[in-house]
Amino acid sequence: MHIPETEVGPVEDFAEHFDRIRSLARDGDNAGAIEEADRIAAAATDPLVICRALVLKLGRLFNLGRTQQCPAVLDWAFEVLSDRRAPALRGHLHALAGIIAAADSLERCVRHLVQAERELDSERGPTEDIVVARHDLAVTYSYLGFHAQAAPLAERCYRAGQALGLPSGDHALPEVAVRWAVSLDHLGDAEGCADMLRWVLETWGERTDPRRLWPAEQYYYGYAAMRLRALGEPAEVNPVLFSVEEQGWEVADLRMLAGACESIAAGDPTGALRRLDRPTHPYTLGTAEPHRVRALAHAAAGDHRSAREADREATRAATSDTGRLRDRLVDGTRTQLDHEALRRTVEQYASEALTDPLTGLPNRRHFDRYVARLAEDGVDAAIGVIDLDGFKTVNTVYGHLSGDLVLQRVAAILARTLRQGDFVARYGGDEFVAVLPRTELPDAHRIGARIASAVADGDWDALVAGTPVSVTIGWADLTDPLGLPGTLESADRAMLSRKRLAGSPRG
């Protein structure tokens, strides 16, 4: 993740600190850059300064693989930026949020990426902040395997940087084309891979001194040459490119893979196999790359049977990545369709004063009016208080943005599970209320069981991996609409009693 030279807002008092962050990052000291960003965020009072520091911190945390710390930082950054119009910063935040969310939920990732593009496109003219944000957006697309989207965006960033007079190595992204190239080889197109790797070496060798690239990009550029040589193609390798110190998983993976390719080219396939002693991060060059390099080593050793088996593993890994991506896209589309269906069902609630803006459900005021109409019509009903179990854990582990998405999906499930003519509203926080007109309590309990089952069966791993989402429901008779507070209290007591019996936490 990249760092701009310019600052947003009145940062005169912190200019030296931002310069130091850039210098530390340039030298590969991500941990030192994080400490400096923390000092700025703690001392600054301007929201734009704080947010800039947090953006820089997020990129460094990701580079070090400390992604578990990112949701809280994202929540803080979005909060301090909430009432400011800063498209470059907001777009950059969404670009970073996208890659951080990708490991757990492609749906959340794509939402962030689309929002990032919208924010950045709303800014007139190229600025360095826009270039840097699009730079990280291109890297995110590349990590996810959306190579056809990443490549033109990376080229656009470079050309915009050049138009602004920025150093030629600062916005170069050879990694995007290298990642695309090896993905071709994983699926059997070694010739296409070699052509693209040669393009990387020729293009970036002409545009800049590769030693002026950022540390990780130096490794990717060097790997293009090493990988060509492992394929039996001639290529010059500058060992200086692999001497830059950089902390994090990406460079560690590239060192291992480049070392194995170097051994193959030097006629030492056994040494290459010894080097390939662990899997790599899927974002580096895909999960298939170690298998493919292992196949090249076996082939160089004359062990063609083992080479074929390693190639089969590479193909399996590559297609498995595609399959997982497809499944996650389907999950995301299903959720989106659910939410669109929910929006259509509440179009009748024209007044925003009666609709919860997050979920699209009727709000508490609308609920009160609905029950009042039941009273006027003399209709009895069953009232259900629906509470999410352990919702605080979702917010703590994944952040409030993910919590909002969980609330939206639960709302969609409630709307499609209840019967036609039933009513459901968001009462507040993580609590919903359902009204079942002309329904006895035994029937209400059966409907409640259906709701609980539908929520439990949701594919929550697509949103909050490893954190199950469930609801507990308490029911009470609304025989006297004028006694609504008492009915709600009875339903709430019934809900809490069921939670105690099940051992479920509230909220």
Side-chain angles (χ1 to χ4, degrees), residues 371 374-383 435-441 476-488 490:
V371 173
L374 291 182
E376 293 174 4
D377 296 339
V379 177
D380 293 340
I383 297 278
V435 184
L436 313 185
R438 301 179 180 85
T439 303
E440 302 293 333
L441 280 184
D477 273 322
L478 181 65
T479 54
D480 179 6
L482 297 178
L484 177 60
T487 303
L488 285 172
S490 296

Side-chain angles (χ1 to χ4, degrees), residues 97-418:
I99 188 55
I100 291 163
D104 300 316
S105 169
L106 189 64
E107 177 194 355
R108 281 190 288 125
C109 170
V110 172
R111 282 173 180 263
H112 283 301
L113 299 186
V114 171
Q115 189 61 39
E117 292 191 58
R118 288 179 177 175
E119 292 285 354
L120 297 175
D121 287 343
S122 72
E123 187 77 302
R124 290 185 177 180
T127 66
E128 185 176 358
D129 296 307
I130 295 293
V131 169
V132 172
R134 286 204 172 104
H135 177 289
D136 284 351
L137 198 54
V139 172
T140 297
Y141 277 126
S142 179
Y143 280 155
L144 293 173
F146 296 136
H147 305 298
Q149 288 74 31
L153 190 55
E155 184 68 11
R156 181 181 178 186
C157 289
Y158 174 76
R159 293 187 181 278
Q162 289 299 100
L164 291 170
L166 303 176
S168 59
D170 274 15
H171 299 287
L173 279 172
E175 69 169 281
V176 168
V178 172
R179 198 171 285 116
W180 194 355
V182 298
S183 75
L184 297 176
D185 195 24
H186 299 161
L187 296 175
D189 187 4
E191 183 177 351
C193 171
D195 286 343
M196 192 171 290
L197 293 176
R198 281 191 290 266
W199 178 90
V200 168
L201 297 176
E202 293 169 4
T203 300
W204 294 112
E206 291 174 357
R207 287 177 170 179
T208 188
D209 180 350
R211 294 171 298 178
R212 300 303 303 159
L213 296 168
W214 278 69
E217 299 304 326
Q218 291 188 37
Y219 278 87
Y220 277 107
Y221 181 87
Y223 188 71
M226 288 292 194
R227 188 63 153 75
L228 271 174
R229 294 182 65 184
L231 288 169
E233 300 283 341
E236 292 185 12
V237 178
N238 186 348
V240 172
L241 299 176
F242 294 97
S243 64
V244 182
E245 290 299 322
E246 166 89 345
Q247 305 161 335
W249 48 270
E250 205 164 12
V251 165
D253 288 346
L254 290 167
R255 283 196 189 106
M256 180 186 77
L257 293 167
C261 289
E262 182 180 27
S263 295
I264 294 170
D268 181 18
T270 302
L273 292 170
R274 281 198 302 269
R275 286 177 178 270
L276 297 167
D277 57 356
R278 61 176 177 81
T280 58
H281 195 291
Y283 288 162
T284 306
L285 290 168
T287 57
E289 181 66 358
H291 298 296
R292 176 58 179 146
V293 176
R294 193 172 287 113
L296 294 173
H298 284 306
D303 186 353
H304 298 293
R305 180 176 180 180
S306 296
R308 286 193 297 271
E309 179 55 35
D311 268 334
R312 282 193 289 270
E313 286 296 326
T315 302
R316 276 195 288 268
T319 54
S320 176
D321 288 345
T322 303
R324 281 193 295 270
L325 185 63
R326 182 182 61 245
D327 291 343
R328 290 156 71 191
L329 279 171
V330 169
D331 288 335
T333 302
R334 183 181 298 117
T335 299
Q336 185 63 33
L337 289 173
D338 283 345
H339 197 62
E340 289 174 2
L342 170 61
R343 288 291 183 184
R344 286 193 296 270
T345 65
V346 297
E347 284 178 356
Q348 58 186 304
Y349 310 131
S351 172
E352 291 184 1
L354 299 178
T355 304
D356 174 55
L358 176 65
T359 64
L361 288 176
N363 60 16
R364 182 171 179 173
R365 180 183 298 177
H366 196 159
F367 165 74
D368 290 339
R369 291 188 183 184
Y370 178 80
V371 173
R373 285 200 301 272
L374 291 182
E376 293 174 4
D377 296 339
V379 177
D380 293 340
I383 297 278
V385 172
I386 305 167
D387 191 80
L388 268 67
D389 302 322
F391 185 65
K392 289 179 182 177
T393 301
V394 172
N395 281 332
T396 299
V397 175
Y398 294 96
H400 292 286
L401 291 174
S402 298
D404 288 348
L405 292 174
V406 168
L407 288 172
Q408 288 176 340
R409 179 174 282 189
V410 168
I413 292 172
L414 294 176
R416 73 168 186 259
T417 304
L418 286 169

